[in-house]
Structure formats: C-alpha cells, structure tokens
C-alpha cells in the first residue's frame, strides 16, 4: 500500500480562485478525456499495459486514476517537439515503432504478446529495452534505451503530472494565477496547499 502523504489535498476545491481560462484548461483534463484516434486497438492495449507499469495506479480508486493512454494518443495527434535526437523519428512514429518494438521484444523473449505476459515478465521486457539490448527489428531503426527514456517514461510521466489527481498526490496546490504566490521563502506552503503527513 502506498502511503498518502497529502490525505486532505483536493486541488479541484481551488477552482473558484482561478480565472476562467485556467479553470477551463484544468477541468478539461479531468472531464474531457480525448478519444483514441491514433492507435489501433492492439497498440492501445500495449500502450495501456506499458502505462500501468511506468506509473502504477492500483492504489487509487478507479474514478481517481489518471487516464494516461488517451492523453498519449492525443500527443501523437498534435505534439510538436521542441527538439528531436537525430537518430529518432517524429513523436507519433516513435510511439508507433516503440509499441511495435515492445511487442517484438516480448515475442522474442517469451513467445507471447506483451499484453498476455505476467507483470514480472513484462518488467523483464522493459528492462532489456531500458538497457538498450532488446531484440526486435524496430530497435535496429531506433535506439531502444533512448525511446524508453525520452519517449515512453518522459511523456507518460509528463501526462501524469499534468493532471490534477497527480497534483493532489504530491501536495501541489494548483495554479496560483491570478492570486499569485505568497510564501516566497524557502519552500513554505501556500495557505491553500495541504499539509504533508509523514
């Protein structure tokens, strides 16, 4: 069981303090989860299994879990990278190839789809991808370790921590606009932020 360090946190209670544009953006993340448009059902299943390992959410009630895979799908439709490594394809292609590579590695190691493997075996697949020694044709076109670090982990974590439910988990009180920050002294809590319980 994961210890909840901020049991009283509920950033959505702060919504009356935000301006209209901020409120619309934040509430949109909660109530308007994008539909899958980029990934086919098989890739979607692989992506969901991958997200479950990168950021497990079994400690959360089902209605408080951050929907990671739909937001990754959304990134593939409209994400413009600020930079890209010269040995990496565009973001949408990197996700397509990466999920294909995850499946190829699972089949090479265990002769089964990634989605059908037990959690421990899925982790073994991800370990060899992380280490850059994954079998599979995809990894000849794109470096496995770089995909793991800069596409999979970075973007899944980014989607997670852009969501208000994750803000509650880390004690972030949400946007300070338009009221601003008051406690500008070495990490003191803002009056509206929850106190950490150790």
């Amino acid at each position: 069981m994961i210890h909840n360090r901020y049991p009283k946190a509920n950033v959505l209670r702060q919504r009356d303090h935000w301006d209209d544009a901020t409120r619309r953006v934040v509430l949109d993340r909660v109530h308007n989860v994008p539909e899958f448009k980029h990934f086919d059902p098989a890739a979607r299943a692989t992506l969901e299994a991958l997200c479950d390992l990168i950021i497990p959410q079994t400690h959360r009630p089902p209605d408080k879990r951050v929907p990671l895979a739909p937001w990754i799908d959304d990134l593939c439709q409209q994400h413009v990278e600020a930079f890209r490594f010269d040995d990496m394809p565009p973001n949408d292609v990197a996700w397509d190839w990466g999920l294909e590579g995850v499946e190829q590695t699972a089949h090479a190691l265990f002769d089964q789809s990634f989605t059908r493997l037990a959690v421990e075996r899925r982790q073994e697949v991800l370990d060899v991808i992380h280490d850059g020694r994954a079998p599979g044709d995809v990894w000849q076109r794109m470096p496995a370790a770089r995909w793991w670090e800069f596409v999979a982990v970075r973007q899944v974590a980014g989607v997670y921590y852009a969501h208000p439910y994750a803000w509650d988990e880390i004690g972030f009180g949400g946007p300070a606009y338009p009221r601003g920050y008051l406690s500008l002294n070495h990490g003191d809590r803002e009056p509206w932020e929850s106190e950490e319980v150790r």
Side-chain angles (χ1 to χ4, degrees), residues 46 50 97-107 114 125-126 129 138-139 147:
T46 303
L50 177 73
W97 288 1
L99 295 176
E100 182 185 355
V102 167
E103 286 296 335
Q104 288 177 1
T105 301
H107 279 280
F114 184 75
V125 169
L126 299 183
I129 292 171
V138 164
W139 309 124
W147 176 80

Side-chain angles (χ1 to χ4, degrees), residues 165-177:
Y165 295 160
W167 297 348
D168 290 343
E169 184 176 273
I170 60 173
F172 175 55
Y177 185 79

